[in-house]
Amino acid sequence: MNPHGSAAIRSAPSKDRLPASIYLVGAVSLFNDVATDLVTPLIPFLLASLGAAGMALGLVEGVSNAVSSLLRLWAGRFSDASGGLRKPLVLGGYVVSNFARPLLAVAGSAWQVAWIRAFDRVGKGIRSAPRDALIVDLAPASLRARAFGVQTAMDNFGAVLGALLGVLLVGVWMWELKTVILVSAIPGLLSVLVLAFFVPEPPKHQSAVAIAPRLRWRAISKRMRGFLGVTMLFTFARVAELFVVLRAHELGGSIAHGLLLWAAFNVVRVGVSYAAGILADRHGKLQLVVPGWAVFAVAMLLFSLVHDLPSLWAGALFLGAAMAVSEGAERSIIGDHAETHERGTLFGWYHMLVGVASIPAGLLFGWLWQSQGPAIACIYSGCVAITAAAVLHWRVAPALRTVPKA
């Protein structure tokens, strides 16, 4: 009898194609993001109705990401110490998030929104590193970037569906925001069911229990410390996607307009994520990450010129494409350079460092947006991004250009 459920699907890895299990992990992300992005684009409008502004949005997003980061390293390392047992942690994380998210319907202040979002992100913190390690475990070594590209693309496609559903419910049927938030529990439940009954758990690595890596920064290889450090620097350039919706609100766009923009933004990310994964496997991950960060810098500098809704659409679509270029390749670099018994731990370090940087990054960007204006905030982001790309290219990349571990 299959210990992971009779409905679990296993497919033998192939050097030429991804196993079905990768698409099932992607389906989990898709359903979860339908739920998430049915709610997330409404948060700027929810905060505005509570009298909060740009800095509050930066605080909400920064706090929620940082709270989840405190759990990511533990969850990744725990999945290694258990011999590579990833699925229970991933499942638990999705359960927590999909329990917390509907509670936004009862939030009565910006602080309550922040705490509920933080609780939601606790679930993300539990699942993120083990899920990425699970993808590496399930995918052939030669197709890891494509596997992350598929997961990212389906994740973004879920965001598209969630936003379009929001347009239907809010813009056409005129539902109240709180009712829409409650409805998000339905696709959230579907994500949990698909993961529980259809996604397989790879065989445990029996030797990993005895040699699980220590939670010491010095225990990480020097080349990976450099990569994780420059990725943390790039986090100060990353802008929360919700600022795109906030800009639409500031320029006079309706809630439905903001949701349509969010959907289009993520449609672009779907196509670019998948294509970038294929290119990264064929030509090398660093050949995508370095120019991807540089393109992101250009996108932010152009976004600083947005002054009306038509220019916002052009800037947002280019920004969505720029964000998607390097997303899968960044994580597949970690999968290539991590030993089997330390994959969860390294992904935990990656997600934790990015999350820790999110609080000061979110607060600083939100403060610049609110006090100096969106243009200055975007110029700042572009300058940090090009700096990170330069450091990666000249200081970090040479050490990473070694034969990756399978």
Side-chain angles (χ1 to χ4, degrees), residues 4 32 100-101 227:
H4 305 295
N32 185 72
R101 193 178 302 115
F227 180 70

Side-chain angles (χ1 to χ4, degrees), residues 51-98:
M55 191 169 181
L57 180 59
L59 175 65
V60 167
E61 292 304 290
V63 168
S64 61
N65 286 326
V67 167
S68 71
S69 74
L70 299 177
L71 291 169
R72 296 178 188 193
L73 180 56
W74 169 84
R77 201 264 183 181
F78 185 84
S79 73
D80 287 335
S82 63
L85 193 63
R86 323 287 189 192
K87 183 174 172 179
L89 287 168
V90 181
L91 181 60
Y94 279 111
V95 169
V96 170
S97 289
N98 287 290

Side-chain angles (χ1 to χ4, degrees), residues 82-216:
S82 63
L85 193 63
R86 323 287 189 192
K87 183 174 172 179
L89 287 168
V90 181
L91 181 60
Y94 279 111
V95 169
V96 170
S97 289
N98 287 290
F99 172 78
R101 193 178 302 115
L103 296 178
L104 286 169
V106 300
S109 68
W111 282 107
Q112 290 178 358
V113 172
W115 280 112
I116 294 170
R117 280 284 286 173
F119 188 32
D120 178 358
R121 299 295 88 176
V122 163
K124 188 175 179 66
I126 294 172
R127 71 179 183 259
S128 293
R131 184 206 59 206
D132 286 353
L134 177 66
I135 291 172
V136 174
D137 290 344
L138 293 171
S142 61
L143 299 177
R144 283 174 182 157
R146 186 179 302 187
F148 281 110
V150 166
Q151 186 271 327
T152 303
M154 295 183 75
D155 186 88
N156 291 329
F157 187 55
V160 173
L161 296 179
L164 292 178
L165 181 58
V167 172
L168 177 65
L169 298 180
V170 176
V172 178
W173 294 348
M174 307 300 291
W175 285 21
E176 293 184 356
L177 296 184
K178 293 184 177 182
T179 305
V180 175
I181 291 171
L182 290 174
V183 167
S184 71
I186 297 173
L189 177 61
L190 289 175
S191 72
V192 171
L193 294 177
V194 171
L195 177 60
F197 295 106
F198 294 98
V199 175
E201 174 79 71
K204 291 181 66 175
H205 311 304
Q206 298 298 332
S207 63
V209 176
I211 59 176
R214 293 173 293 174
L215 292 180
R216 292 177 58 244

Side-chain angles (χ1 to χ4, degrees), residues 144 221 223-224 286 332-339 342 346 399-406:
R144 283 174 182 157
S221 66
R223 66 175 181 270
M224 288 311 299
L286 289 170
S332 61
I333 286 174
I334 298 173
D336 284 347
H337 289 273
E339 297 281 4
E342 65 178 5
L346 278 182
L400 290 173
R401 292 193 176 100
T402 58
V403 179
K405 294 176 169 53

